[in-house]
Structure formats: structure tokens, C-alpha cells
Amino acid sequence: MSPELAITLTILLPAAATLLLAVLDKRPNLREAVSLLTAGALFVIVLGLLQTVLDGAQPTAHWFDVLPGLSLAFEIEPLGMLFGVVAAGLWIVTALYSIGYMRGNNETNQTRFYICFAIAISAAMGIAFAANMFTLFIFYEVLTLSTYPLVAHKETDVARKGARTYLGILITTSIGFQLVAIVWTWVVAGTLDFEQGGILADKIDPTLLPFLLALYAFGIGKAALMPFHRWLPAAMVAPTPVSALLHAVAVVKAGVFTMLKVGVYIFGIDLLATTGAADWLMWVAAFSILAASIVAMTKDNLKARLAYSTISQLSYITLGMALATSLGVMGGAMHIAMHAMGKITLFMCAGAIYVATHKTEISDMDGLGRLMPFTYGAFFIGALSIIGLPPLGGAWSKWYLMLGAADAGQIIMMGVFMVSSLLNIAYLLPVVARGFFMGNTGPLAYSVGAAAVPSKGIQEAPLWCVVPPCLTAIGCLLLFFYAGDIYTLIEPVAFPEGTSQP
Amino acid sequence: MWDEMTVEFFVNHYNYWMTVILMMIGLYVVVSRGNLVKKIVGLNLFQTSVFMLYISMAKILGGTAPILTDNPNEVYSNPLPHVLILTAIVVGVATTALGLALIIRIRESFDTIEEDEIFDIEQQMAKTSHPHAETPNKC
Amino acid sequence: MLSSLSAHMPVLQVIVLLIAAPLCALFGNRHLAWTIAFIAALAAFVISTFLLGSVLDGSVISYHLGGWAPPWGIEYRIDAANAFVLFIVSLIGVLVLPYARQSIEREFEASTHTYFYTCYLLCLTGLLGVAATGDAFNVFVFLEISSLATYALVAFGAKRDKRALTAAYNYLIMGTIGATFFVIGIGFLYMVTGTLNMADLAVRLAEVGDTRVTRVAFVFILVGMGLKLAMFPLHLWLPNAYSYAPSAITAFLAATATKVALYVLLRFTFTVFQFDFPVQELTFEYVVMPLALVAMFAASIAAVFQKDVKRLLAYSSVAQVGYMLLGVALLTEAGLTAGIIHLFNHAVTKGALFLAVGCFVYQIGSSRLGDLKGIGKTMPWTTAALTAGGLSLIGVPLTVGFISKWYLIQASLETGSLWIAGLIVASSLIAVVYVWRIVEVAYLEPAPEGRKAKEAPLSMILPTYALVAASLYFGINSELTSSAASQAAKALYSATDLAVPPMQLTPSDPPSEGAVQ
């Protein structure tokens, strides 16, 4: 299969699957089989592309021109490859998990759910492989719109309201700021192609750079930079698989991935470093990291806590870009993968707890760990990875981010990373501790959900709710040992010819 | 240019003044009268003023009607505006006819041709849950 | 035979419709009338497609009516700008007819259908005539043909809601005032130049220069056309007229009537008056642009608070006219291109939206938001069309709305005004609000008990989807529209280069003694 065809397939395959899914509305088994098969096939294709990229090639595909000079085109570079592998790989896990969760909860409108899910993945692939900002923006918007029905899935007043916030903020920022920034770039640079070293050097008055960067940084609402983070907690009304894949992986990672792309390929790290245009962004990101962590500690709802944790972790990546050093970019890119793996574990565990017990508040979850050891075990590993302890994947990305801060001479930013790690411990580990060590307060009614028999011993959620988080927990562990491969993949981006390597 | 505004200037351009006065009367009637028929009358006045504007500008001092004669040096008025206005009059008549026809239909369904009474009825329709009613916007 | 016919194409598309219109009424059979109307509209569409194809390279077709050479005779002058408008109008005209045939069945008595088709064809005649002609006074005549037919068409909605009558009446009053203003402007131009041919006018006006008379003429024309194209705050006739007119007519008018009026304004602004006339620059910069910006916000906000989808979309139309005027008021070629491309894109989008709403009216007899709860489940295709159109209104990528936004923002950034770009996106965010009100109601609210609505008939769905498809296709591949729009902008800017050389009129035809210098 030629790389060009492969790229096209990664986008069209999930999109085409939606048709099959729609036809199979009344036959859930077949429908879910299609969903899984597509996920598997997509992953295989992406792996094939990964091999090509690791060999040093940058496969391209050109679809057609939308406007004169602005085309829908794709080019796989290492950053996009990384994001693509993460999204495609975790889709399989989530597809498995969705089956357990959606059936365990007897959700309605499941076909619509799977269709929107597939479109979202298709859009994520488009974002990952986009060759220019224009293509990226188009798929960015497709992603926003296709996830709206997922967030509003329950069709209750709360869901509608949450979905409204979700769409409102994402559309406002993307059309209100990002589109302006893109057109501005187009007007001054005459191109929107992603190029190593950026396209803006010498094209624009340096004093305007921070302003343009602000339009991008806040325009990429999916990166949840404060004060445009409200949509993320609001979107937690969605069913947990949605929160897991979309709000730990596809949507938010699309946001920070775009941020990295803009920093590396539109502005160029050198330009940012020499003009200091991103200095202010560093502080905003640092503020987001700390503020969101503190808010997370106050949240008793488990998913809300995880949501704020996500906001905080996303700003790590933004901060990595804003540091404007090679190591910062490396750390940021790595964190995309590491955080995705860790956070999806946590979300799936939260979902498993909900399916088994219908509990959402952390204070109600005392002692659950002894009943759901696998779920809580996975949660523990995921939490440690987020905190950044070896031997888990999260350790590496934090390591490189700290190195980046040191390299840029930003001691304060190193401090921010340290403090935030402590805060991570403070808001994540109590969940585990309560689960394992606190006694059961009050009568427990385990009569809801799938695990219906109230008794001692293990009472896990349905099998397909528990296996995926365990898999990703193992993934966190493996990432620690295979971080070198990610390093090799990202190396050409972070350290282009001529830059010194540590 | 305003210093030329002498009596002579004023008198020499009397056709414009008449046009302006007639036009303003017409517009005023359209805006101020609540009676739909009177509005149409105002509209006619308004249009007539424009007809006058065209006709008067075609006039050439000492000119006769633009009819072909044997005299090659015959001075005659410009016939083109006359033709234009003939067309405009036809349009005006059509407009008036359509307007009056509409008024008849309005009278049949609203039982009045007074604008404020119609407005009240429409407000009423908006309030009562008429199948297709909602706030009429007359701002 | 064919070649001699094709030489007459510029006028044929008008004539065919003009002849077909009374035929519809004379035969008295509604099925026959529809067939005649459809064939005539189709013929007009074919001709205008052909015309567009032959002028897209920048050439100009000049047709002399009755063989009288301009500037004495009436000239039909087709360049890229009006060929584009002709194409849009006749496209919508032919698409709406099959839809109308079905939708008017439930809107008024079968006995009046023949008159409906007559009015429809007359309206189309007028609109095409306005666009095709190169004679200033001829514009007025065709404008009134179309307007008079429009008033009657709006009044056809009276069977469903008697307020259609007052809406039509108010429209008549406002429209006539606008047309009369326009005639006054033409009169002034004639006074100083002695000609009515637009190309000739351009040449002579350049000689006359910037006098008080030309200024007054320009302002009269601007206000007159402003009334016709619903320029804020001259839009007051529009919401009622669109709300109470028959569904098919609302779609037709929204997509064509205001667009043609805008074309006339552009033609006069850029071709007849040169765009660097000082009074024009000032007017556009300090009057039209602020008004356009106000329209974008005020009308959008008004749309948010409407309870009826038709009326909501009507207010949205006022806002969208604001976008077009904004593009034009930038007074650059890029801005003009943006305005023109939005003219097309909005025609397609709004046409699709109003047609979709018409399907609701046909099936459940109402377009009120409260009656559309949960309609997404019972009429999925119509609702999907409405949603697609709504997304285009917002300007989501892969729809034509996005192309418009892109061009507009680009044009405003090129003139260095970031704040205008900011206002453009800010106002399109209000569009998110009103579009999403519809989407939420249609998809996320539970349907009321006992509603037996089913999907609209195919003859209504198909035209709707034709326009939806167009709004998606031209959003994905905008090559045709963007090249046509930029070609049109060029044509408007450079029409004087191609103008006939100035010709002396007969000495007996001087400006009158009263012409103020």
C-alpha cells in the first residue's frame, strides 16, 4: 500500500465505517464488531505509516484545493505520527471499553454514539496528518462538531447545558481567535504549510508576534488554557468512554498537538526564542497548571477532579512549547503520549466504578478498592504515571520538560513543575488511599449496575470495563521502557540539523 | 455656493422647489397618515413630484414639442424624459392598483384600513396562541 | 437558426419568461401553468449558464436591443459580474419551482395557482432583467416589474396568515419609495450627462467630475437600493414579508431579490460612479460600513430572540446583507470579491434553509420553535438539511459560509483593520447561538405526544438537498465560485476600460437649462 493511499485511508476508513454502523443500527453485535474491526484496521495502517516515518520518510497526500492556494493536504511528520499512533492505538482500547460501558449502563442512542465516535477519530487522524494549518483547522472544527452529540448524549437538561458550554467555548475560540490568526498568517506569510523552522520569520513585525501567538494560543480552545478551560469540566456530562477517549486523548490532545504544531512549524522555536514572543504564554501556562491543580483538589466528583487534572496537564505541553527550547518541545511531545496513556486509565477506572456502583463522588467511594482491586490497581498505576514517578512513562516527559526549563534558564518554571507534581499527589492519591484503606462508611448498596449481588469479595464491573484500563495501566509501565523510541521519533523535530543534543 | 442664493436663483429654479415641496408633502402623508388609502395617495404625490422633475428638465426655453417639421433649425424639448416618465407613470398606476387591491383584501380580513387598529389586531394575534403567531415586529 | 438565436441570448432569457408569464394565466390549468413556468425557468437557467461560461474569461457581451446602437438604444451588457448574478438567480428560480408546486398545495386554493406561477415568472423576469440590462432607466423598469410581482407573491401567504397582507402592503410602500428614490438619482445623472447607458454614464461622469448633483444622485441611488436590499436600518419590511410569504417564495426572495438589489448598488458604485469619487469613499467609510457592522450585530441579536424559525432566518438575512455590504465597503478588490462571493454563498445557504423550514410548515403547519421539538426524529432529512444550512451560516469549514468568512477576514486584514476582522468573527458567534437554538430544539427536546408528522415529500426534499449539496460542494471546492467572484469584481472595477468610446449626442439634446453646476 502506498503511503499516500494509507494516509487517505486513515481518514476515510473511520468515516466510511459510519455508513456501515448506521445500516447495522438494529444489530448491536455486528455493529460493535464493525467498530472494533475498523479500529484494528486503522491501527494496522497507522503502524505501517509509523514504519515509513521511522525510516526517515515524510509521506504526503494531496486531496484538492479548497480555495486557490489552500489545499486539503497531508504530510506525516514525527509529531503528527506520534499523535496519530496514540489516538489510533487508544481507540481500540476505548472501543472495547465502550462496549462494556454502554451495555452495562443500558445507554440509549448507541448507534449515534458509535457513528459520532468514528467521525471524531477520522477528524483526529486528519488533524494529526495535516500538512498545513488550513487542513488542520478544518478537521479541528469537524472534531468539535462531531463530539457535540457525544457530550449531549444523555439529552437531559444537564447534558444539554454542558454540551452548550462545550460547543460555545470551542466554537467561540476557534472561530473568534484561531480563524483570525490563520487568515492573518496567510495574509502575511502567503502560505500555511507546516515547515520546519516556521513560516513567519521576517514576515511580520516582531512586536506583533506575541499578539498573533495569543490569537493562536487562546484560539486553540481544545488546549484548555485558562481562562478558556470551562468546556472541559462541562463536557464531563458525557458517558465515560467519551470522557476517556475524547477528553483525555483525541480532543484535548488535538488541542495541545495543534499548539505544538503552531509553535514548531508556524512560528518556529528559534523565532520564539529570539523574540521572546512566547514568554507571556509561559506564565499563563504556569498559572493554568497550578490553578487547575488547586481547583482539582476541591472537587469531590471524581470525573470533575480528573477534568481539572487534565487542564493542568495540558498546560505542561503548552508550557513545553512556550519554553522555546528543543528539550521543551521534546518533553511536550512526549507528554502527549504519556499523559494520554495515564489519563485514559484514570477515566476508564472512574467509568468502571460508576458502572459497578453508580457512584460519582469521591467521598462515597471509601473502601471500594478492596471490592474492585483491579480497577483500583489500574487507577493507582495511572495516577503514579501522571505524577511522574519511575518506572512509569510519565516520568520521562516530566524529566524532559524540566530539562527544557533548565535549558531555557527558567528556574521558576522548574519550580512550577515540582510544585505541580506535589499537587498531583495531593489530589490523585487520596482517591486510591480512600479506596483501599478507609472503612465502609454507611450501608453500601451495591444493588445497582452490573455487579448485582451484594456480598464480600471482589465485585468488579463487567469484564470489558475492567480489562481496558488494566491494559493501559500496563501500557504506562511499558512506555517507561520504550520512551527511547519516542525520543528517536521526535528527534528530527526537536533537534533539527545543527542543534546540539544533550 | 450659498451666496448665490439670491431671489433670482430661487425664482429661476422654481421647478425644483415645486418638486421638493410636492415630494415632501407626499412623503409626509405616507409617513403620518394611518389610513392605508391615504398612504397610497401620498405615495402617488411623491411619485408625481419625480415625474415633474423629469418633465421640467426636458424643457428647453423656446422649444416646441418634439415633432419632426421641415425646419431643420427647429428648437424642441428633449423627448427622452417624456418617454421615460410615460413608463414611470405606467409603473405608478400598477403600483397604485396593486396597493388598492391589497387594501381591499386587508379590509376584508381585518375589517379596518386604519393602521393602528390593524396593529392592535396583529398584537392580539401574537398574544393568543394563534397557530402561526408570534411577536409581530413593527419597530 | 440556433446560431441566430444564440446571438440574442442576453435578451432571450428575459423575453422567454415575459412571454411565458401571461401564458400561465391564460391557460388556466395549474398543471399546464407549472409546466410552462418550469420550462421557461429552465430555459433561462440554461441561457444564463451559457452566458456565464462565455464571459468568465473576462470578455463582455454587448447586445443592442432592436438593433439601436448604444448609447441611444438600450444595451444589454453581460460581463462576469452580472452573468454571475444571472446564474444565481436563474438557478434558484428553477430549483424552487418543483418545490413550490408541492408546497403551495397546502397554502392556498388550487384555483389561484396559475396566478401564482404568473407572478413568479414576472418576478423572475424582473430580476433577470435588472441584472442583464446596461441601461439605467431599464433597471428601474425591471426592478418594478419584479417588485410588483413580489408584493403580490407575499400576499399569497394570506390564506395561511392574514398578516401577509399587511406585510405585502408595507413592503409595497417601502419598496416604491425606494424605487422612486432610485429614479430621482437616475434623473440627476441624466441631467448632468444626458445619457442613460451605464457604460456611457461612467465615461461622462468622469468628465463631469465631483459636483453637487452627482453627489446627490449617488446618495439617492444608495438609499433607494438600500431600501430594496434591506440595508440596515432600511430593512423593516423584510422580517414580516419573509415570515408570512408562502414558504417557496420566502426561499426564492431570500436567495434572489436582495442579491439583485445589491448587484445594482455595486454596478452603480463601481462601474457608473468610479469608486474613487470622494463622496462615495466617505459614504462607504462613514455610513455604509458602520451600518453594515451594526446590522451584523443588531440583526443577529434580534434573530436570537425570535420564536419563529422563519422570522429568525429573516433577521439573519439582514445580518448577512451586512456582511456583503461590509466587504464592499472596504473598497478594495479583495473586499468586493468577498462581498460577491458571499452574495452567492448566502443565496445558496439561505435558500436551502428556507426550503427546509418550508418542509416543516408543509408537514406540521408551523415554523414556530415550540412546535419543532424533537422534529429531528420524525423528519430526519429535513432537519439534517436545516442543520447543514445552519452550520454554513455560522461559517463552519467545508461549507460555503466558511469560504465567505475566509474571504471577508482576509480582505479586512489586508486593509490592515484587525478590529473589523474581530467584529466579523464576533458576529458570526452570535450566529452560533441562534442556529444552535434550532438544533437543540430539533434534536434534543422530546417530541410532543401524538404528532404524526412524517418526512416531507420527495419533490420538496430534492430541491432542498440540491441547495444543501451546493452549499457543501462550493464549500469544499470553491474554485468556480471564487474565480467567478474575483472575475466579477474585476469586471465591476474595470468596466470603464471596456466602455464604448464617448459619443457626442445630437446638439438638440443638451442638459436642460436647469442643470445646476
Side-chain angles (χ1 to χ4, degrees):
Chain A
M1 184 162 28
S2 75
E4 182 167 353
L5 179 65
I7 295 175
T8 306
L9 266 184
T10 54
I11 292 148
L12 289 189
L13 188 69
T18 58
L19 296 178
L20 261 180
L21 291 172
V23 172
L24 296 173
D25 182 25
K26 298 281 181 287
R27 310 180 65 180
N29 287 331
L30 224 56
R31 180 187 64 200
E32 278 143 33
V34 168
S35 177
L36 271 178
L37 274 178
T38 322
L42 178 69
F43 192 56
V44 171
I45 299 171
V46 172
L47 282 185
L49 283 169
L50 176 64
Q51 197 50 52
T52 328
V53 174
L54 280 176
D55 291 343
Q58 300 217 343
T60 58
H62 184 273
W63 280 12
F64 51 83
D65 282 6
V66 173
L67 289 164
L70 290 168
S71 50
L72 273 187
F74 304 93
E75 175 174 13
I76 307 188
E77 43 70 57
L79 278 179
M81 195 64 242
L82 177 69
F83 177 50
V85 172
V86 169
L90 292 181
W91 187 28
I92 304 182
V93 186
T94 322
L96 278 174
Y97 180 76
S98 315
I99 297 170
Y101 183 92
M102 299 304 275
R103 291 190 173 186
N105 263 348
N106 296 319
E107 295 273 355
T108 49
N109 288 327
Q110 291 199 20
T111 304
R112 182 178 77 191
F113 175 87
Y114 286 109
I115 288 176
C116 291
F117 219 107
I119 299 175
I121 284 298
S122 167
M125 289 298 141
I127 293 175
F129 298 153
N132 53 48
M133 198 59 209
F134 182 75
T135 310
L136 198 155
F137 180 72
I138 286 176
F139 284 102
Y140 182 98
E141 292 294 41
V142 173
L143 184 58
T144 309
L145 290 172
S146 63
T147 46
Y148 169 81
L150 293 176
V151 177
H153 184 82
K154 287 177 184 158
E155 297 187 6
T156 57
D157 278 339
V158 186
R160 258 208 302 279
K161 196 158 163 289
R164 207 180 289 162
T165 315
Y166 176 78
L167 192 81
I169 294 185
L170 288 187
I171 291 270
T172 305
T173 50
S174 65
I175 292 185
F177 306 130
Q178 197 184 344
L179 181 59
V180 178
I182 293 173
V183 183
W184 191 358
T185 312
W186 167 248
V187 170
V188 296
T191 175
L192 287 175
D193 292 346
F194 293 124
E195 276 168 33
Q196 185 77 44
I199 54 175
L200 281 172
D202 307 325
K203 296 275 176 51
I204 182 172
D205 182 4
T207 50
L208 286 174
L209 272 179
F211 194 50
L212 180 57
L213 182 67
L215 282 178
Y216 272 116
F218 292 118
I220 304 168
K222 291 194 170 85
L225 202 59
M226 281 185 174
F228 295 107
H229 64 283
R230 278 289 316 152
W231 63 270
L232 225 173
M236 288 304 144
V237 296
T240 308
V242 178
S243 312
L245 184 75
L246 303 178
H247 304 126
V249 187
V251 173
V252 291
K253 288 304 171 329
V256 284
F257 168 73
T258 310
M259 197 77 97
L260 276 180
K261 282 276 231 189
V262 168
V264 176
Y265 295 115
I266 297 282
F267 285 84
I269 290 298
D270 290 340
L271 184 67
L272 288 180
T274 48
T275 57
D279 285 358
W280 65 271
L281 181 60
M282 217 159 60
W283 292 100
V284 173
F287 173 77
S288 291
I289 292 176
L290 295 180
S293 299
I294 291 166
V295 175
M297 286 166 60
T298 68
K299 294 287 172 191
D300 191 37
N301 183 302
L302 181 55
K303 277 176 77 178
R305 184 174 287 195
L306 293 179
Y308 274 97
S309 161
T310 305
I311 296 170
S312 156
Q313 298 286 321
L314 292 175
S315 287
Y316 275 45
I317 301 164
T318 307
L319 181 51
M321 185 274 276
L323 287 170
T325 60
S326 295
L327 284 163
V329 171
M330 172 62 76
M334 246 185 210
H335 204 60
I336 289 185
M338 304 304 183
H339 174 248
M341 193 64 94
K343 196 45 76 60
I344 198 171
T345 311
L346 298 187
F347 269 114
M348 289 197 289
C349 291
I353 294 169
Y354 176 74
V355 171
T357 67
H358 274 227
K359 284 184 193 300
T360 54
E361 306 303 306
I362 297 167
S363 49
D364 295 340
M365 294 179 185
D366 290 350
L368 279 185
R370 294 194 294 276
L371 299 170
M372 308 176 71
F374 289 104
T375 308
Y376 266 75
F379 191 96
F380 185 53
I381 295 175
L384 290 182
S385 179
I386 297 287
I387 294 163
L389 286 180
L392 295 160
W396 284 116
S397 54
K398 257 185 200 177
W399 171 255
Y400 281 110
L401 281 169
M402 302 265 268
L403 276 183
D407 197 28
Q410 300 285 352
I411 307 300
I412 301 178
M413 293 304 146
M414 291 184 75
V416 169
F417 283 126
M418 307 273 276
V419 173
S420 126
S421 293
L422 293 177
L423 289 171
N424 288 344
I425 298 176
Y427 64 73
L428 282 177
L429 288 190
V431 181
V432 186
R434 272 169 176 263
F436 280 122
F437 303 121
M438 297 272 275
N440 300 343
T441 50
L444 278 174
Y446 289 148
S447 51
V448 277
V453 191
S455 69
K456 302 283 177 200
I458 293 173
Q459 285 183 334
E460 280 286 3
L463 184 66
W464 290 115
C465 278
V466 180
V467 172
C470 292
L471 285 178
T472 52
I474 296 168
C476 288
L477 202 64
L478 289 179
L479 275 181
F480 180 79
F481 298 102
Y482 289 98
D485 292 340
I486 300 181
Y487 188 95
T488 333
L489 177 66
I490 302 298
E491 209 176 328
V493 182
F495 306 99
E497 302 291 323
T499 9
S500 59
Q501 297 196 23
Chain B
M1 224 171 170
W2 290 106
D3 48 48
E4 290 174 33
M5 191 83 149
T6 56
V7 176
E8 197 188 346
F9 175 81
F10 198 86
V11 173
N12 274 348
H13 293 84
Y14 70 95
N15 56 330
Y16 295 105
W17 299 117
M18 297 314 288
T19 303
V20 169
I21 291 166
L22 203 53
M23 181 187 285
M24 287 307 124
I25 293 175
L27 260 184
Y28 177 76
V29 173
V30 173
V31 174
S32 67
R33 295 295 121 174
N35 186 305
L36 299 187
V37 177
K38 285 183 183 168
K39 272 176 185 286
I40 294 285
V41 173
L43 203 63
N44 274 318
L45 272 178
F46 178 57
Q47 289 182 312
T48 308
S49 74
V50 182
F51 302 162
M52 271 182 55
L53 177 78
Y54 269 74
I55 300 293
S56 66
M57 79 183 171
K59 173 69 182 166
I60 289 172
L61 282 181
T64 65
I67 300 170
L68 204 59
T69 59
D70 294 335
N71 179 9
N73 297 323
E74 183 80 60
V75 180
Y76 55 89
S77 298
N78 183 356
L80 186 64
H82 299 177
V83 180
L84 299 182
I85 287 316
L86 261 178
T87 318
I89 290 174
V90 173
V91 171
V93 169
T95 312
T96 311
L98 183 59
L100 292 176
L102 278 175
I103 293 172
I104 293 173
R105 292 288 310 277
I106 290 174
R107 172 78 169 78
E108 283 169 5
S109 25
F110 287 83
D111 266 339
T112 174
I113 53 167
E114 289 298 325
E115 197 174 36
D116 41 0
E117 289 172 28
I118 296 173
F119 182 68
D120 288 344
I121 295 173
E122 289 190 339
Q123 289 276 308
Q124 211 57 43
M125 287 172 74
K127 279 196 195 105
T128 56
S129 63
H130 186 275
H132 317 299
E134 34 68 65
T135 335
N137 193 315
K138 299 281 281 185
C139 46
Chain C
M1 170 68 190
L2 203 66
S3 63
S4 69
L5 262 184
S6 73
H8 293 284
M9 274 198 310
V11 75
L12 257 184
Q13 58 174 343
V14 180
I15 296 291
V16 166
L17 292 168
L18 199 57
I19 293 173
L23 285 184
C24 287
L26 282 176
F27 281 118
N29 175 313
R30 63 194 170 107
H31 302 296
L32 194 58
W34 181 83
T35 316
I36 294 170
F38 187 73
I39 292 172
L42 195 65
F45 174 64
V46 171
I47 293 171
S48 60
T49 314
F50 204 78
L51 285 175
L52 181 66
S54 48
V55 297
L56 258 189
D57 56 355
S59 58
V60 176
I61 300 173
S62 168
Y63 177 81
H64 304 165
L65 210 64
W68 296 87
W72 297 283
I74 291 173
E75 181 193 15
Y76 278 28
R77 192 183 183 86
I78 313 286
D79 60 16
N82 51 6
F84 193 45
V85 175
L86 289 172
F87 174 73
I88 301 166
V89 172
S90 54
L91 169 73
I92 305 283
V94 78
L95 273 179
V96 167
L97 262 177
Y99 180 97
R101 184 185 195 186
Q102 186 81 40
S103 80
I104 60 175
E105 293 281 330
R106 293 193 185 169
E107 285 181 310
F108 42 86
E109 308 90 331
S111 57
T112 53
H113 283 186
T114 49
Y115 303 119
F116 173 83
Y117 293 125
T118 307
C119 290
Y120 184 89
L121 284 185
L122 281 177
C123 185
L124 195 56
T125 312
L127 294 173
L128 292 177
V130 169
T133 187
D135 183 272
F137 200 82
N138 212 224
V139 169
F140 163 73
V141 174
F142 276 121
L143 201 63
E144 281 310 84
I145 291 179
S146 76
S147 296
L148 286 168
T150 309
Y151 310 143
L153 285 171
V154 171
F156 268 107
K159 178 81 177 169
R160 209 182 119 240
D161 191 320
K162 63 182 177 184
R163 278 172 290 180
L165 293 172
T166 43
Y169 179 84
N170 285 331
Y171 190 7
L172 180 137
I173 297 285
M174 300 268 245
T176 306
I177 292 176
T180 311
F181 267 52
F182 181 70
V183 183
I184 297 172
I186 302 284
F188 281 128
L189 288 184
Y190 182 71
M191 277 183 197
V192 287
T193 61
T195 181
L196 287 169
N197 181 291
M198 289 199 234
D200 195 32
L201 262 176
V203 176
R204 282 157 188 274
L205 270 180
E207 289 165 9
V208 172
D210 182 30
T211 68
R212 190 183 291 165
V213 184
T214 49
R215 286 182 216 167
V216 169
F218 174 70
V219 173
F220 267 114
I221 290 173
L222 175 71
V223 174
M225 280 302 124
L227 267 163
K228 291 272 183 191
L229 66 84
M231 177 170 80
F232 190 90
L234 306 173
H235 67 281
L236 297 178
W237 55 268
L238 189 143
N240 275 328
Y242 281 16
S243 303
Y244 304 125
S247 305
I249 290 310
T250 310
F252 177 67
L253 290 183
T256 58
T258 48
K259 311 293 179 287
V260 169
L262 182 69
Y263 157 77
V264 174
L265 183 62
L266 295 182
R267 179 58 85 188
F268 271 87
T269 307
F270 292 99
T271 310
V272 174
F273 293 87
Q274 300 301 305
F275 56 93
D276 50 1
F277 247 62
V279 60
Q280 255 179 321
E281 268 182 42
L282 291 178
T283 317
F284 273 102
E285 196 173 343
Y286 293 107
V287 180
V288 177
M289 188 186 286
L291 285 179
L293 290 171
V294 172
M296 280 157 49
F297 283 90
S300 298
I301 291 170
V304 170
F305 293 102
Q306 298 307 318
K307 298 190 188 75
D308 184 290
V309 179
K310 253 181 155 180
R311 182 175 280 270
L312 184 154
L313 293 175
Y315 274 103
S316 150
S317 278
V318 178
Q320 302 290 324
V321 167
Y323 286 113
M324 294 171 217
L325 285 174
L326 179 71
V328 175
L330 290 170
L331 290 178
T332 61
E333 202 175 307
L336 189 56
T337 309
I340 293 174
I341 201 165
H342 192 47
L343 187 150
F344 175 83
N345 290 345
H346 180 246
V348 172
T349 306
K350 241 339 136 39
L353 279 167
F354 274 121
L355 287 183
V357 175
C359 292
F360 291 139
V361 175
Y362 183 78
Q363 286 298 5
I364 62 174
S366 161
S367 56
R368 278 194 309 163
L369 266 178
D371 295 335
L372 294 182
K373 283 182 184 164
I375 198 78
K377 297 207 173 62
T378 41
M379 298 173 70
W381 289 95
T382 312
T383 321
L386 191 72
T387 313
L391 292 180
S392 177
L393 269 189
I394 297 172
V396 169
L398 302 183
T399 63
V400 284
F402 176 71
I403 307 289
S404 305
K405 292 275 149 65
W406 181 277
Y407 270 97
L408 267 175
I409 296 174
Q410 189 181 336
S412 56
L413 283 178
E414 272 172 8
T415 58
S417 32
L418 189 63
W419 62 277
I420 294 182
L423 290 176
I424 292 170
V425 292
S427 73
S428 47
L429 293 176
I430 308 177
V432 179
V433 180
Y434 62 70
V435 168
W436 231 257
R437 279 187 69 209
I438 308 176
V439 171
E440 272 192 8
V441 166
Y443 280 112
L444 299 179
E445 298 263 359
E449 293 292 317
R451 179 162 65 204
K452 288 196 221 85
K454 50 184 201 300
E455 194 48 88
L458 206 60
S459 58
M460 295 174 75
I461 289 288
L462 281 183
T464 313
Y465 266 84
L467 284 179
V468 169
S471 81
L472 294 178
Y473 176 76
F474 290 115
I476 293 170
N477 182 358
S478 69
E479 194 174 331
L480 177 68
T481 48
S482 58
S483 68
S486 68
Q487 207 40 264
K490 276 204 191 74
L492 285 172
Y493 257 55
S494 63
T496 41
D497 303 344
L498 306 158
V500 286
M503 274 182 257
Q504 290 302 313
L505 290 183
T506 48
S508 58
D509 195 9
S512 77
E513 43 88 26
V516 184
Q517 287 302 308

